[in-house]
Amino acid sequence: MKGEKAVVGVFTYMDDLLTAIEKVKAEKRDFRVYSPFAHHLIEHATSPGRSPVRFVNGTGAMLGLIAGFALAIWCAMDWPLRVSAKDVVSIPGFVVIGYECTILIGSLAILAAIFHFCRLPNILRKVGYDPRFSDDKFGLVVGCSSGEVDKVEASLKDAGADEVEVRDGL
Amino acid sequence: MGEAAKKEIGYKDVNDQVLRMLEPPGAGWYIQLFICVALVIVGFFCWTRQLLFGMGMAGIAHPIMWGVYITNFVFWVGIAHSGTLISAVLYLFRAKFRQPIYRLAEAMTVFAVMTAGLFPIIHVGRPWFAYWLMPYPNERALWPNFRSPLVWDVFAISTYFTVSAVFFIVGLIPDIAAARDRAKTFFRKMLYSITSVGWTGSHSNWRHYMAGYLLFAAFATPLVVSVHSVVSWDFAMGNVPGWHATIFPPYFVAGAIFSGVAMVLTLIIPLRRVFKLHDLIRPEHFDAMSKLIMLTSGIVTYSYLTEFYTAWFSNNIFERYQFWFRPFGEFKAAFWGMAFCNCIAPLSLWIKPLRTNITHLFILSIIINIGMWLERFNIIFTSLAREFVPAAWGGYNFSWVEFGITIGAFGWFGMWMTLFIKFFPAVAITEIKEVMPVPMRNPEAAGQHH
């Protein structure tokens, strides 16, 4: 988070939080919102763009599909053994392998994408985090310089923050 | 409006009620764990007898070479099945009744697959060679036959286990973070700090997490169809009377959901009572699960009747004899037990008050699970006992080793469930909050934020 100070606003009400986010965005400040659950209002207010997780997932799924068929076909060709007059490379029989590998690699790609884009594991970067943000409060953390602290503090209080705290930035 | 909100409970109450389950356990929990571990020891002892003295210790003999172990395997895979249905399919359909029950259903899935996976290994007799099923470079340059349903099964079950476990663990992360923020002891703080991987619930976290979770659900949904379809092909691809039928995949999938939902009820009813989760797990949830049981029971009953009809209509003497043998032959008790448990007993749910009668549902869930075990027994034993050549017909004698391993599997499953409910949130905190009304200082003006 940019700025030597982090001003933490604790909110009970969603509309107050959204008002504060709009103000901070208008002032073009760096900010982070914490919430105990996902909500579309927060998502719309903060990140209108779509997550790139789906591209990683799609790539993983395609790779899985190719890998599954390639494995089955290559194994069949490596030791050709015709059984019951069936084709050595019998695509219908290999569909199950391709199908399962698509799901497996696609799902593992989602896991990797979530960890990558969420920057997990994240032990040290909890700037402005408060345990209440996993309970019943919403948090808005705004990065700013020391000289702007009072202005940001007033802005959050004005939006309806229950309490405002100033911490060192990272 | 969310279910939990009907009693006007707040976000804090949800944390309080769910995280209370993680408090230091009482004597009852230790007794339950002791019983489960004792059963595991019994099962392990029986397995060691089989390893030392050979497969003769089990009742497996010609012509019934699949016996109790494969019956148990199919039973436990079936139990695992509905966890993914509840967590993934119902998530895509936005079914709100899934929220309080899906975590337990997912845990059940993972632990049931861990149990199911033991049986092929036990059944192969020499478990140290079980890795031969996997494709790996070896000195003879031999590869598994990818046209074999047994190899499909290896891929289907291992994929199912991996994806279910990942889906389960990813779903747990935000709730473990909530547990971390309230942990009191050093051990718990360390456990939850490590397993929550530093989750904070920032808007960036939620954005990618929710996108990934939706995709997980979309990818897990085909597994609901594929896993038990592939298991059913273990049978249906074989030219054995009673097995070689195209109805097997949908019949197995419906049966698996049927048994899995029943097992969710068996687990969640005592949990609700012990941890006083009446505000979170409400009669509407039981009503919805009962309707799922009614639907799948209907499909299963229809499948049983279709099997008989196709055997008659085929005019194939082997098929016809097989479907005479099932209700009137040596294993007729299993058939009629199955018919009662899976077709007759669930009809009680057509009476509306019984769909929310907890005692009735608990007893019925156990009856259904017995019935579904008997269904797999019925499919495997009767078909193998009466194949084409009368000279090759035979019966089966159960051994105490098989019995011990079977109850050991229940202990193994119960042990993991018992440990899970005490160490990790067994009810999804964040997802329950998602369906609750959001607190607004000025509800009338809130619409402008949309």
Side-chain angles (χ1 to χ4, degrees):
Chain A
M1 176 168 279
K2 291 172 194 164
E4 56 192 296
K5 293 288 176 189
V7 183
V8 184
V10 180
F11 295 84
T12 300
Y13 298 102
M14 176 70 86
D15 45 353
D16 291 346
L17 174 73
L18 297 174
T19 306
I21 293 171
E22 281 164 16
K23 278 186 170 186
V24 171
K25 277 170 75 178
E27 291 166 12
K28 294 190 176 11
R29 295 187 191 280
D30 191 21
F31 68 95
R32 191 177 291 176
V33 181
Y34 293 111
S35 64
F37 56 91
H39 200 280
H40 67 279
L41 290 176
I42 299 174
E43 193 178 343
H44 291 164
T46 52
S47 316
R50 296 179 72 183
S51 169
V53 169
R54 67 190 193 283
F55 295 116
V56 182
N57 169 234
T59 309
M62 288 305 295
L63 284 174
L65 180 70
I66 294 165
F69 273 105
L71 175 71
I73 292 168
W74 182 76
C75 289
M77 301 289 282
D78 191 49
W79 186 294
L81 189 63
R82 193 176 291 276
V83 179
S84 306
K86 294 188 179 80
D87 291 341
V88 170
V89 176
S90 25
I91 297 297
F94 298 163
V95 165
V96 175
I97 307 298
Y99 181 91
E100 298 296 341
C101 288
T102 305
I103 293 171
L104 178 66
I105 309 296
S107 300
L108 293 176
I110 300 171
L111 178 70
I114 289 177
F115 271 66
H116 173 72
F117 292 117
C118 292
R119 297 184 173 189
L120 300 174
N122 171 13
I123 307 299
L124 299 173
R125 289 189 292 269
K126 295 181 190 171
V127 180
Y129 184 73
D130 188 295
R132 287 175 293 178
F133 299 154
S134 66
D135 202 341
D136 62 343
K137 301 289 181 193
F138 303 99
L140 176 61
V141 184
V142 184
C144 61
S145 63
S146 302
E148 294 172 313
V149 166
D150 291 341
K151 193 180 168 192
V152 174
E153 222 174 341
S155 175
L156 295 183
K157 276 183 182 162
D158 190 42
D162 299 347
E163 58 185 85
V164 178
E165 191 185 331
V166 181
R167 298 184 192 176
D168 287 331
L170 193 69
Chain B
M1 182 180 283
E3 306 299 343
K6 287 182 181 171
K7 270 205 164 181
E8 294 185 356
I9 62 171
Y11 296 148
K12 204 171 189 64
D13 300 316
V14 176
N15 282 45
D16 290 345
Q17 292 196 24
V18 176
L19 298 177
R20 195 177 57 210
M21 295 166 72
L22 307 181
E23 286 173 2
W29 184 84
Y30 284 108
I31 291 168
Q32 186 178 320
L33 185 65
F34 175 78
I35 292 168
C36 291
V37 172
L39 291 176
V40 172
I41 292 168
V42 168
F44 191 74
F45 171 75
C46 292
W47 189 33
T48 54
R49 302 295 292 175
Q50 184 178 293
L51 290 174
L52 288 171
F53 298 104
M55 291 302 283
M57 293 300 291
I60 293 168
H62 183 79
I64 303 176
M65 300 302 289
W66 277 12
V68 171
Y69 297 145
I70 301 302
T71 303
N72 285 339
F73 166 71
V74 181
F75 172 78
W76 283 107
V77 174
I79 292 296
H81 211 81
S82 77
T84 313
L85 175 100
I86 291 171
S87 59
V89 181
L90 297 184
Y91 179 80
L92 293 180
F93 282 103
R94 300 285 186 250
K96 287 183 179 174
F97 79 88
R98 73 179 269 286
Q99 261 87 4
I101 57 169
Y102 91 90
R103 175 67 47 72
L104 203 70
E106 277 183 353
M108 183 188 81
T109 291
V110 174
F111 301 142
V113 181
M114 282 165 57
T115 312
L118 297 175
F119 282 100
I121 295 170
I122 292 169
H123 182 75
V124 294
R126 291 184 289 171
W128 48 94
F129 292 133
Y131 69 93
W132 283 3
L133 285 162
M134 302 303 288
Y136 71 99
N138 57 72
E139 70 275 14
R140 289 165 297 166
L142 284 174
W143 299 101
N145 177 9
F146 285 102
R147 282 162 292 197
S148 164
L150 299 183
V151 175
W152 297 348
D153 221 14
V154 171
F155 276 74
I157 299 296
S158 49
T159 298
Y160 190 54
F161 175 70
T162 310
V163 174
S164 303
V166 167
F167 196 34
F168 171 58
I169 291 165
V170 168
L172 264 172
I173 289 173
D175 291 345
I176 297 175
R180 172 200 66 199
D181 293 340
R182 285 203 185 185
K184 293 186 182 82
T185 64
F186 176 75
F187 169 74
R188 294 259 175 180
K189 272 183 186 155
M190 285 301 290
L191 175 69
Y192 299 139
S193 295
I194 292 167
T195 50
S196 66
V197 289
W199 176 267
T200 55
S202 70
H203 66 275
S204 170
N205 276 184
W206 281 121
R207 175 185 169 219
H208 300 300
Y209 178 89
M210 292 309 288
Y213 199 79
L214 183 67
L215 290 166
F216 263 133
F219 266 64
T221 297
L223 282 181
V224 176
V225 180
S226 76
V227 174
H228 232 51
S229 296
V230 171
V231 171
S232 81
W233 289 332
D234 289 346
F235 304 95
M237 291 287 168
N239 187 15
V240 174
W243 287 4
H244 199 45
T246 50
I247 198 174
F248 260 43
Y251 161 32
F252 267 55
V253 170
I257 295 167
F258 182 51
S259 63
V261 176
M263 185 60 101
V264 171
L265 283 173
T266 311
L267 295 172
I268 215 155
I269 288 171
L271 193 79
R272 176 180 184 257
R273 187 184 171 92
V274 170
F275 293 105
K276 297 180 177 59
L277 299 173
H278 300 78
D279 291 343
L280 300 178
I281 306 168
R282 299 167 58 84
E284 303 92 282
H285 302 122
F286 290 109
D287 187 61
M289 282 192 279
S290 298
K291 286 173 180 165
L292 208 50
I293 287 178
M294 288 160 67
L295 172 71
T296 46
S297 168
I299 298 172
V300 165
T301 305
Y302 173 76
S303 303
Y304 294 162
L305 295 174
T306 304
E307 281 193 304
F308 277 87
Y309 174 78
T310 49
W312 169 77
F313 194 66
S314 70
N315 207 24
N316 178 316
I317 55 167
F318 303 107
E319 284 287 328
R320 282 187 167 193
Y321 176 68
Q322 176 59 228
F323 284 92
W324 178 88
F325 181 70
R326 284 189 184 180
F328 305 116
E330 187 184 341
F331 303 115
K332 62 186 174 195
F335 176 85
W336 293 110
M338 171 194 87
F340 170 76
C341 296
N342 298 345
C343 309
I344 309 294
L347 292 177
S348 60
L349 296 177
W350 287 87
I351 301 165
K352 194 175 179 186
L354 291 181
R355 293 206 290 268
T356 48
N357 183 317
I358 304 303
T359 311
H360 174 76
L361 286 177
F362 185 67
I363 294 168
L364 182 65
S365 69
I366 292 170
I367 289 173
I368 290 171
N369 278 311
I370 293 169
M372 287 309 293
W373 193 89
L374 290 174
E375 181 200 286
R376 280 67 183 248
F377 174 92
N378 201 48
I379 291 168
I380 292 169
F381 282 67
T382 57
S383 285
L384 291 176
R386 294 292 184 276
E387 285 199 54
F388 299 97
V389 184
W393 289 354
Y396 197 84
N397 292 312
F398 290 97
S399 76
W400 62 270
V401 167
E402 286 170 311
F403 181 74
I405 290 176
T406 300
I407 61 166
F410 279 92
W412 169 262
F413 174 77
M415 178 185 78
W416 288 110
M417 288 301 296
T418 307
L419 288 170
F420 170 71
I421 58 171
K422 229 0 144 183
F423 285 97
F424 293 101
V427 176
I429 297 170
T430 54
E431 288 215 24
I432 288 180
K433 288 178 183 173
E434 278 174 24
V435 295
M436 292 171 69
V438 181
M440 294 284 187
R441 188 188 294 277
N442 185 4
E444 287 79 29
Q448 70 188 8
H449 290 293
H450 280 274

